[in-house]
Amino acid sequence: MIPIELPDFQATWWPVRMETIPGSGEAITVAVIVRAQSGQTQVRQGVAPAVISGLFGTAGKGVASMVGATVIDLQKQLDQGISVEDLSMPFGGFEIHSPRDGVARDINEVFDMAVRLSAVFGQSNFGTREEVEGATKRAFDDWAEQIRTDLLSMQTAQITQMLQPEEFNVRIKLSNKAVRIGFLRQHYAANFGVMRPGHTSGDTRSLKVKVFDLEAVRRDQIHPLDNTEVLVGCPPVETIGYLPRRERESFMNSLEFLETEARARSVTFKRFSSPHEAAQHLASQVLHAA
């Protein structure tokens, strides 16, 4: 009999629960804390703001803001070395539930598994086919290539002479996984992605991974990064008035959610309406990183 080879990334995870009505005892899981065997600990929101808005109606935006603020505050405490058992909640009605152990390929898969097992309203890809590998991946790749082409076509000798092919699409081996970074020069790193009306769910999941990858590279200190950014192609807010109200709100809530996630991980979330605009920004960062 051939023995089954289990993944070797071991971690403990805790659901972060919020009472839907204070004092009722009824609660939903809104975030998950994961502590790897190495001691690395992260917290991530498990329920998208658009879902929270749908659940709580007119109070949805306030509840979503409170959940986001709680996640940011918990991550700050963890970064200060406070153990999960000693974390304090910034708002009443939140609690950390019982810990559970798990094994997976990396910390991202532990989060996916934890969300699927604990958050009925959460979104996770664990155990499902990766639809992002199709249309979303192509859209992200096209956006990155358009930025690269515009950057290289700029009539600025200083830029074109400085750029090296190996600075794009850089593969980095971390302690527990390998990631690809869209652009890396000295102390600056950038990833690329898009946010498209009608594709909000898949784009949001992929952009979260782009943010987490940048955080992982900074944390492992293989490259001493001073500045990390995600350059995102998306339509200006004032141009999406044609969308149905619910879809427009979902799009805006997802953008706000991603910006909050990025901010909590010291990643700058930059929006651009065209590849040329993003390329101009990247050119300024290249000169600054020279």
Side-chain angles (χ1 to χ4, degrees), residues 40-82:
Q40 171 195 350
T41 311
Q42 291 184 31
V43 57
R44 296 182 189 173
Q45 188 167 330
V47 182
V51 175
I52 295 175
S53 295
L55 289 172
F56 292 93
T58 55
K61 191 164 186 179
V63 175
S65 296
M66 189 166 61
V67 171
T70 297
V71 170
I72 291 174
D73 187 83
L74 292 178
Q75 187 63 57
K76 285 181 179 177
Q77 293 182 58
L78 292 169
D79 291 343
Q80 292 167 1
I82 298 174

Side-chain angles (χ1 to χ4, degrees), residues 162-170 181-186 190 192 286:
M162 289 171 57
L163 291 174
Q164 302 297 323
E166 59 268 22
E167 293 178 323
F168 294 92
N169 199 26
V170 181
I181 301 300
F183 181 84
L184 177 64
R185 165 178 282 271
Q186 296 182 7
F192 309 109
V286 169

Side-chain angles (χ1 to χ4, degrees), residues 221-242:
Q221 295 184 338
I222 295 175
H223 295 273
L225 299 177
D226 296 329
N227 187 12
T228 51
E229 298 183 324
V230 179
L231 311 188
V232 182
C234 68
V237 175
E238 59 271 16
T239 66
I240 62 172
Y242 67 92

Side-chain angles (χ1 to χ4, degrees), residues 3 8 28 32 38 46 50 58 73 113 117 119 126 138 154 164 171 202 206 210 222 237 248 252 275:
D8 57 5
I28 60 173
V32 172
S38 64
T58 55
D73 187 83
M113 176 178 64
L117 292 176
F126 186 76
R138 287 193 297 273
M154 287 182 176
Q164 302 297 323
R171 187 178 187 274
S206 292
K210 297 291 185 183
I222 295 175
V237 175
R248 188 168 62 249
M252 293 304 301

Side-chain angles (χ1 to χ4, degrees), residues 7 30 84-85 98 138:
V30 293
V84 176
E85 294 78 8
S98 305
R138 287 193 297 273

Side-chain angles (χ1 to χ4, degrees), residues 49 79 90-91 104 106 109 162 168 196 270 287:
D79 291 343
F91 302 102
D106 54 40
E109 191 168 85
M162 289 171 57
F168 294 92
R196 303 162 295 164
K270 303 283 292 186
L287 292 172

